[in-house]
Amino acid sequence: NAGVTQTPKFRILKIGQSMTLQCAQDMNHNYMYWYRQDPGMGLKLIYYSVGAGITDKGEVPNGYNVSRSTTEDFPLRLELAAPSQTSVYFCASRRSAEAFFGQGTRLTVV
Amino acid sequence: TQLLEQSPQFLSIQEGENLTVYCNSSSVFSSLQWYRQEPGEGPVLLVTVVTGGEVKKLKRLTFQFGDARKDSSLHITAAQPGDTGLYLCAGTSSNDYKLSFGAGTTVTVRA
């Protein structure tokens, strides 16, 4: 009964380093999303995907990249980490109305 | 760009009082959802509304979708400390697959 699984849960990066945030879902959902959430705020859409091989930009895509080679996986790549990317990142998937979220990845860039 | 505006941003009330949170947009949504998020967790769906004018009740929570499908409200009757959390509205439009969120309303219910 995994749902949406995100790894890692926590990460500290130095400025300029790169990393990939992993997201996997086992519900065979077509739509997947990456959001970032700053303290006390709502979720800002970074990228989304409507199916394997199809991705599109959200509200705040700069500094990030995604790929969707399979239905299950939707990794988010940070190429040159900056302090402004310090945030909590959530991955979500949905088939119809309800979105299911992972537990989040707390990223700090120092 | 779909812009969802929530108000108020913060709400602190005494146990037993009522509260209303609003979600407004200039865009028409095919569906609008309300989520509740607790610290350290991802948002969890409370309700989805799809028909203009629709009213849904979930125990002490009442959700309403505006007739024009551009706005929604969440009303909590006799709030309890367990209602404390961040309430988020989110919407999808018929011409794309984005799920956009408002900035959220932080609700604190004092015992």
Side-chain angles (χ1 to χ4, degrees):
Chain A
N1 218 19
V4 179
T5 303
Q6 288 184 238
T7 56
K9 286 189 169 53
F10 303 93
R11 183 72 186 266
I12 297 175
L13 276 183
K14 292 185 178 179
I15 295 172
Q17 286 186 321
S18 61
M19 78 165 292
T20 299
L21 282 67
Q22 302 292 344
C23 175
Q25 53 97 2
D26 61 0
M27 298 172 282
N28 202 32
H29 288 169
N30 286 330
Y31 310 137
M32 295 189 74
Y33 304 85
W34 272 106
Y35 295 92
R36 59 174 290 173
Q37 184 176 36
D38 297 324
M41 302 298 289
L43 285 82
K44 293 184 180 177
L45 182 63
I46 304 172
Y47 270 95
Y48 67 104
S49 170
V50 301
I54 307 170
T55 63
D56 207 348
K57 296 178 180 178
E59 307 163 56
V60 289
N62 292 343
Y64 307 95
N65 275 301
V66 293
S67 60
R68 184 95 182 270
S69 56
T70 66
T71 299
E72 293 77 21
D73 299 300
F74 190 39
L76 177 72
R77 179 88 179 154
L78 283 72
E79 289 294 348
L80 290 170
S84 61
Q85 293 177 306
T86 293
S87 191
V88 179
Y89 291 83
F90 286 101
C91 177
S93 74
R94 70 181 181 105
R95 178 185 292 119
S96 55
E98 181 176 4
F100 295 84
F101 284 82
Q103 291 288 298
T105 295
R106 186 175 295 275
L107 176 67
T108 302
V109 181
V110 296
Chain B
T1 301
Q2 306 166 15
L3 184 63
L4 283 159
E5 296 184 351
Q6 283 188 242
S7 61
Q9 187 177 357
F10 300 98
L11 199 52
S12 180
I13 61 171
Q14 201 68 32
E15 183 177 3
E17 292 181 338
N18 302 332
L19 69 94
T20 303
V21 177
Y22 300 93
C23 178
N24 296 289
S25 176
S26 57
S27 301
V28 175
F29 291 97
S30 57
S31 72
L32 199 141
Q33 301 163 9
W34 286 93
Y35 291 80
R36 181 163 159 258
Q37 185 181 21
E38 299 201 18
E41 302 288 329
V44 175
L45 181 72
L46 295 173
V47 77
T48 299
V49 285
V50 296
T51 305
E54 183 176 4
V55 176
K56 281 192 174 179
K57 293 193 174 184
L58 184 66
K59 296 183 181 178
R60 294 177 292 99
L61 279 61
T62 302
F63 304 86
Q64 185 161 7
F65 202 12
D67 290 341
R69 291 185 289 139
K70 292 183 178 182
D71 56 273
S72 181
S73 64
L74 157 61
H75 182 81
I76 301 179
T77 303
Q80 299 175 0
D83 295 325
T84 293
L86 178 66
Y87 289 83
L88 297 156
C89 66
T92 56
S93 64
S94 58
N95 58 359
D96 66 37
Y97 302 100
K98 294 178 185 175
L99 179 61
S100 299
F101 281 79
T105 296
T106 300
V107 172
T108 303
V109 182
R110 305 184 305 274

